[in-house]
């Protein structure tokens, strides 16, 4: 993000009514973060980290020390009471995940809003929780959500692709799959300053993730996950390729070639 966007994001954190939190900023080498590194008063609760791995989110998770964790894009902003509201609900309801409504803002105007009329409690089986997520593809990102830190203790590091857009959705997917109690508040407390949909720039990273999870999730769930991670649309080749990979225990490269060969829109995945 540019400096003005990053400064606005951090300013919204400084205005939080809940003060007992740490802020971790991963150093992505951008000019904006370089300027922040030189001007910010860093402390035990305000930390700049240099990622040791290819994934900024994975490294931030490893360094986080709180019982709960949230994520924020450097171009987004929070309302002043977001952390207080989400943390209060997490503690009172013993929820693993608490989310809130959010709005997209472009050129200082709200262009879209996603919020529910009443508080939702998503319990049930992992597949039932994921059915909700697949119904709202724009919902699946970690901004505006508070997670119990222990949800990520068993998350394999090799699942991270190193691509922030993919890893953010993967992280949320993992938490929803493993979290037993998920609450969504009707309040709109998070403002997104990003395009309405993520651009599908790295299908290879998604396909690697699908291949890694092929023995862990049902076929229809893997296919839906692919469409959810990159909501620009998938051909039936993904389902066919996963089925072939399971039937013949194909290696990753063969799986990628199978998807590319059957892709009806002519684009290359790898």
């Amino acid at each position: 993000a540019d400096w003005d966007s990053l400064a606005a994001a951090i300013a919204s954190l400084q205005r939080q009514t809940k003060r007992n939190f740490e802020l971790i900023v991963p150093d992505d080498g951008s000019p904006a973060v370089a300027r922040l590194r030189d001007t910010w008063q860093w402390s035990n609760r305000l930390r700049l980290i240099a990622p040791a791995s290819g994934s900024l989110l994975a490294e931030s998770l490893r360094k986080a020390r709180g019982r709960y964790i949230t994520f924020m894009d450097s171009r987004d902003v929070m309302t002043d009471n977001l952390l207080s509201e989400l943390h209060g609900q997490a503690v009172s309801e013993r929820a693993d995940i608490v989310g809130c409504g959010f709005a997209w803002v472009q050129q200082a105007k709200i262009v879209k809003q996603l919020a529910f009329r009443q508080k939702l409690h998503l319990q049930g089986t992992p597949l039932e929780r994921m059915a909700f997520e697949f119904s709202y593809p724009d919902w699946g990102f970690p901004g505006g959500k508070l997670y119990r830190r222990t949800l990520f203790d068993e998350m394999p590091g090799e699942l991270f692709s190193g691509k922030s857009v993919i890893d953010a959705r993967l992280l949320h997917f993992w938490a929803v799959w493993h979290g037993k109690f998920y609450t969504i508040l009707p309040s709109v407390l998070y403002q997104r300053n990003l395009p309405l949909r993520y651009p599908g720039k790295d299908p290879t990273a998604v396909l690697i993730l699908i291949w890694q999870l092929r023995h862990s999730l049902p076929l229809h769930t893997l296919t839906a996950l692919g469409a959810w991670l990159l909501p620009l649309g998938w051909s039936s080749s993904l389902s066919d390729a996963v089925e072939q990979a399971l039937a013949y225990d194909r290696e990753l490269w063969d799986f990628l070639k199978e998807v590319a060969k059957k892709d009806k829109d002519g684009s290359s995945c790898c």
Side-chain angles (χ1 to χ4, degrees), residues 138-233:
D138 292 326
W139 182 265
F141 74 106
K145 300 175 180 70
L146 190 71
Y147 304 91
R148 189 181 299 277
R149 176 64 182 79
T150 53
L151 285 175
F152 306 109
D153 286 349
E154 304 299 325
M155 189 172 184
E158 60 269 18
L159 290 186
F160 288 100
S161 68
K163 301 289 185 179
S164 295
V165 168
I166 303 300
D167 288 349
R169 289 187 165 230
L170 167 60
L171 184 145
H172 178 65
F173 162 77
W174 177 276
V176 171
W177 188 267
H178 290 86
K180 304 301 182 185
F181 196 95
Y182 180 5
T183 296
I184 301 174
L185 306 179
S187 309
V188 178
L189 304 175
Y190 192 88
Q191 176 179 308
R192 304 199 67 200
N193 295 304
L194 288 171
L196 290 184
R197 287 193 180 275
Y198 288 121
K201 293 183 178 179
D202 192 12
T204 303
V206 176
L207 293 175
I208 291 172
L209 168 63
I210 298 298
W211 183 81
Q212 290 171 322
L213 295 175
R214 68 194 185 283
H215 294 302
S216 304
L217 302 177
L219 176 60
H220 68 278
T221 304
L222 286 171
T223 305
L225 174 61
W228 184 63
L229 287 167
L230 289 176
L232 296 179

Side-chain angles (χ1 to χ4, degrees), residues 235-263:
S235 70
S236 61
S237 63
L238 179 60
S239 177
D240 294 341
V242 174
E243 197 167 17
Q244 292 287 322
L246 289 170
Y248 300 103
D249 198 24
R250 289 188 169 169
E251 296 298 322
L252 173 61
W253 180 241
D254 292 326
F255 169 63
L256 294 176
K257 288 192 295 184
E258 186 74 16
V259 177
K261 180 178 69 176
K262 294 184 177 182
D263 188 2

